[in-house]
Amino acid sequence: MILKHIPTLKKKLIINFIVILVMLSALAVAASALIFKRIYNIKSGQFIQDITRQTTTNMKENIQKVENITFELLKNTVIQNLLVTVNENTLTDYELINIRKQILNELGTQALYNNDSVSMSIGSLSGEEFIIEAVLYGGEKDKFTKEEIFLAKGSTLWGVTEDGENNICIARAIISMKTQKPIGYINIIMKESYFGDIIKDISGTYASGAYVIDKDHIVISSNRKEILGEIFPVPSESISEQGRSIEKINGSNSYLYASGPMSNGWRLIVTVPLNEVEKDMVTFLIMVIAIVLGAAILAAWAMVGLVTRSIEPLERLKESMNRVGQGDFSSRVPIVADDEIGQLGKTYNHMAANIENLIEKAYKMEISQKEAEIEFLKMQINPHFLYNTLDTISWMARMQHNQDIAEVAMALGDLLRSNLKQESMITIGEELKSVRNYVFIQEYRFGDKISVGYEIDRRVRNYLIPNFILQPLVENSIIHGLEPKLGKGTLLVQIFIHQEELYFRIVDDGIGMNQEQIKGIYLACEQENSKRCIGLKNVYRRLKIYYGEEGTLRIASEVGEGSRICFSIPIDKLKQEKQT
């Protein structure tokens, strides 16, 4: 009874959401479990990789410190000279004691600031050894023989003592700075903790074991002391330097993370047993599965069908709105039900029809307005030109009786007929004819004071342009640029194609203008009711109407240097008159 009074759409939503709520809850929990597992794996892996990189960096620093000690000792001139003396001379006990004291003094300088050193020693070719020990050390002093040290040719040798202490032994030949031949060797023994302290705290929430292995895969240092000195159980070819791999360590599968080789050939291996990674996820996954297993199966089966049937009318409405948004105002939605969505569809269809009618009316009105404006602009003719022309004819009629009057009158008639043509678009060739008629008339008026030249690309003559678009620009240059000039003046009309643009340029060497005057012209062209610059304004506005911003009129001028008026039109916006 309660659902009977609820509107149809709402009834559908209530029924659907009651069912879907349970299903979505189960799906969300299942998805959460998967996401948790993925994030846990990523975070743990990233954490171990970060630890591996940081630990490797710290170990490299410690390795470099020892390398620096050996380098300082082998280049020490005191040690070099004393070893040469020991090797080449038979020394008395007193001399040997004195040399020992000097060498130990040099060794002590390096050992003084290193609490992790067990001993440092210098050996000569003659068999003498000069050793300084931090503590009384009875273990193995020499991991490497003299032959092994000299065979390395100055490279540093690293190893582990075999006396049960697992200390680190470092050896390096001392090469004479003069002869470049071996004159002795360095032996340094560092505590295992020198590297062990770096990795002992690496195990934690994720990591289990950390191992430093040498080139022979012997464990040099580890947080598992029982494996020190043994061969690492994983073959080297299976150890990846990037990412992680799964290997069997101590009888169980483990994630294995490895650094690249350090300067001495060592590598850091970090292992994490799989059961450690999955231990925290098991409880969470069991709980999630127990709560939502049954509901999740039903939800996955029913949700798509129920939601699709419920929102299908809304989807159709949305698609229709998208088409209207893209300009298809004829789009309508079918009305298949009398529920809330059906009522919404009816209202939408009515609204879309109204919008289509309004846009059509607005479009027709805009077209009519532009056509009227174009016709109005075409009718605006500078009266000064007609007055000046009539003055010329009158003057010639009084002063001389010849054919010139007829020619001027004929040119004026042609020019007026061109201006009053009904065609809104004419060819560039026809427009140039009007320009030449105007120039012909002005040449009679000004005589040889004005010289006009033409540079016209032959390819452009059949392109269509707005009627009477060039003559006002030529008139402006003559009346305002050349006429006020005291001496002779020249005018150049250029029409050419450059980079897919058709350029029109009127250039004169008249009196020119300053920047304020140019700004005033632009301002007059933009103002609807301005009575200034009628010719330029006519051209300016018609270019904007036909070609938009791409047909903008551009003016450049300097006082006393002349002016240049130009505009350009993209070739793809121009049509050509068909040639017969």
Side-chain angles (χ1 to χ4, degrees), residues 551-563:
T552 300
L553 199 67
R554 298 182 292 276
I555 304 173
S557 182
E558 291 185 16
V559 176
E561 298 294 332
S563 302

Side-chain angles (χ1 to χ4, degrees), residues 112-233:
L112 180 63
Y113 300 102
N114 199 319
N115 296 328
D116 291 293
S117 64
V118 175
S119 66
M120 294 185 186
S121 64
I122 300 292
S124 68
L125 298 180
S126 61
E128 295 292 340
E129 186 175 22
F130 310 93
I131 183 169
I132 182 171
E133 295 180 316
V135 295
L136 185 60
Y137 178 62
E140 179 182 342
K141 302 282 194 306
D142 302 318
K143 167 69 177 177
F144 304 101
T145 64
K146 286 193 294 185
E147 290 73 16
E148 290 175 319
I149 296 172
F150 293 145
L151 190 61
K153 298 180 179 179
S155 298
T156 307
L157 301 177
W158 294 77
V160 179
T161 60
E162 299 175 355
D163 54 3
E165 296 292 333
N166 296 304
N167 289 324
I168 311 299
C169 181
I170 304 97
R172 189 171 187 175
I174 299 176
I175 307 299
S176 172
M177 304 292 285
K178 297 179 179 179
T179 65
Q180 299 301 311
K181 294 182 179 180
I183 56 175
Y185 56 88
I186 302 167
N187 255 319
I188 300 175
I189 297 179
M190 305 295 291
K191 297 177 184 177
E192 188 276 333
S193 60
Y194 184 60
F195 295 108
D197 287 346
I198 297 176
I199 62 174
K200 70 178 180 180
D201 296 327
I202 200 171
S203 61
T205 304
Y206 302 107
S208 175
Y211 310 86
V212 179
I213 62 173
D214 64 9
K215 296 177 182 178
D216 299 322
H217 308 294
I218 296 174
V219 178
I220 301 297
S221 183
S222 175
N223 56 2
R224 294 182 58 218
K225 302 302 181 184
E226 67 275 10
I227 199 173
L228 290 175
E230 298 183 8
I231 301 290
F232 190 70

Side-chain angles (χ1 to χ4, degrees), residues 213 217 231-239 247-249 256 271:
I213 62 173
H217 308 294
I231 301 290
F232 190 70
V234 178
S236 61
E237 58 270 13
S238 65
I239 301 176
E247 306 289 348
K248 189 174 288 294
I249 304 293
L256 188 146
T271 61

Side-chain angles (χ1 to χ4, degrees), residues 531-547:
K531 302 300 182 181
R532 297 175 57 240
C533 307
I534 292 177
L536 287 179
K537 179 180 178 181
N538 185 299
V539 175
Y540 181 89
R541 296 189 62 193
R542 284 197 291 150
L543 286 173
K544 284 293 185 70
I545 290 172
Y546 282 106
Y547 305 110

